[in-house]
Amino acid sequence: MSAIRIAMWSGPRNISTAMMRSFGSRPDCSVSDEPFYGAFLKHSGEPHPMAAETIADMDCDWDSVLATQSGQVPEGKPIWYQKHMPHHMVGHVDIGDMPDHIHAFLIRAPDRVVASYRNKNELREPEALGFAQVRAYFEREADRIGKAPPVVDSDVILANPEAVMTKLCGALGIAWDAAMLRWTTGPHPTDGIWGAHWYDKVNASTGFGSPPGGLPELDGEYRKTADACRRDYDFMRQHAIEA
């Protein structure tokens, strides 16, 4: 039986690292943390925190990274979960170059994403949050396979992790494993080097955490940025798995 390669696409601050932790808790699953991030930083020149360190630490060649993510699964495991962000794909490689992956999408309410992102990095434009790019990739994959690919919303996951993750596993064609609900604290060996800046909350966690309360209050440019992302989020939300 050939390996199952799962490409989970999301924007930043979408509990994407918690999702990686969840899949990494399975004994039958290897994980990769944003393998195209170094290529994005090198190609775009974006001044992200720890950009120089990330570029120095990673393979930054688009074709080489693609070959690796399409090649042999680390440790020979039957499942490979790959955490990807479509707004990083500014080179000549994109979702169409991964026809043997199962593609899925993770979304989060724009207000929550903006409130979380602004605490970690300068927020200059809505494109940095990836909502339009996630939708574009979703639509391309839906056209390719003839149906909507799996979508999960972070609020729905946090409200009922076991129910949503069980359904997600079913949609991905893999068995549910209760190990996905718990992980060890601290950095994990598979984390990208940038985790030292971005992963403080997930490093303190042992599971998905409590359901969120009301939406955070935003004003000024932050309000405008969240509003600019809402149409794409609402489109994706209608396809999300419910508990």
Side-chain angles (χ1 to χ4, degrees):
M1 181 178 176
S2 59
I4 296 173
R5 291 173 180 80
I6 300 165
M8 181 64 79
W9 300 92
S10 76
R13 318 309 289 172
N14 277 230
I15 75 165
S16 56
T17 308
M19 285 289 283
M20 183 176 69
R21 289 278 190 275
S22 176
F23 278 86
S25 296
R26 299 176 61 111
D28 61 353
C29 185
S30 291
V31 300
S32 292
D33 192 5
E34 299 178 39
F36 290 101
Y37 190 30
F40 162 75
L41 292 172
K42 185 174 181 179
H43 185 98
S44 67
E46 281 289 326
H48 283 200
M50 299 187 68
E53 295 91 335
T54 299
I55 291 170
D57 187 64
M58 297 189 76
D59 180 354
C60 297
D61 179 84
W62 295 100
D63 295 301
S64 176
V65 176
L66 174 64
T68 297
Q69 300 308 120
S70 303
Q72 292 189 338
V73 182
E75 302 176 323
K77 295 187 177 182
I79 302 171
W80 191 356
Y81 181 90
Q82 302 174 7
K83 173 187 168 191
H84 293 297
M85 297 196 173
H87 64 289
H88 287 171
M89 309 303 283
V90 296
H92 58 277
V93 171
D94 66 15
I95 193 173
D97 295 305
M98 304 181 194
D100 296 326
H101 287 63
I102 298 173
H103 298 279
F105 297 84
L106 172 64
I107 60 173
R108 190 183 192 190
D111 299 57
R112 299 195 197 285
V113 175
V114 169
S116 179
Y117 190 92
R118 68 181 177 182
N119 293 328
K120 291 293 185 179
N121 195 22
E122 180 185 3
L123 183 55
R124 300 191 303 277
E125 67 282 315
E127 289 75 18
L129 303 180
F131 283 90
Q133 296 91 327
V134 165
R135 177 177 178 175
Y137 269 25
F138 170 88
E139 291 180 322
R140 285 183 59 186
E141 180 63 5
D143 287 344
R144 185 180 78 89
I145 65 176
K147 62 180 181 179
V151 179
V152 282
D153 185 287
S154 69
D155 279 8
V156 183
I157 294 171
L158 294 175
N160 197 334
E162 184 170 0
V164 177
M165 296 300 289
T166 298
K167 290 185 177 181
L168 174 61
C169 287
L172 296 171
I174 63 176
W176 161 247
D177 187 334
M180 298 177 73
L181 298 177
R182 293 288 181 267
W183 51 82
T184 57
T185 58
H188 286 210
T190 49
D191 293 351
I193 192 173
W194 57 89
H197 175 81
W198 295 93
Y199 293 174
D200 53 327
K201 287 188 177 180
V202 75
N203 284 345
S205 72
T206 58
F208 281 107
S210 302
L215 291 175
E217 292 188 10
L218 302 172
D219 53 23
E221 291 302 312
Y222 294 122
R223 175 77 272 148
K224 292 180 182 177
T225 297
D227 289 345
C229 300
R230 191 164 311 284
R231 179 177 295 182
D232 292 319
Y233 168 76
D234 288 344
F235 172 85
M236 295 293 296
R237 183 65 184 83
Q238 66 183 334
H239 297 286
I241 293 170
E242 299 293 346

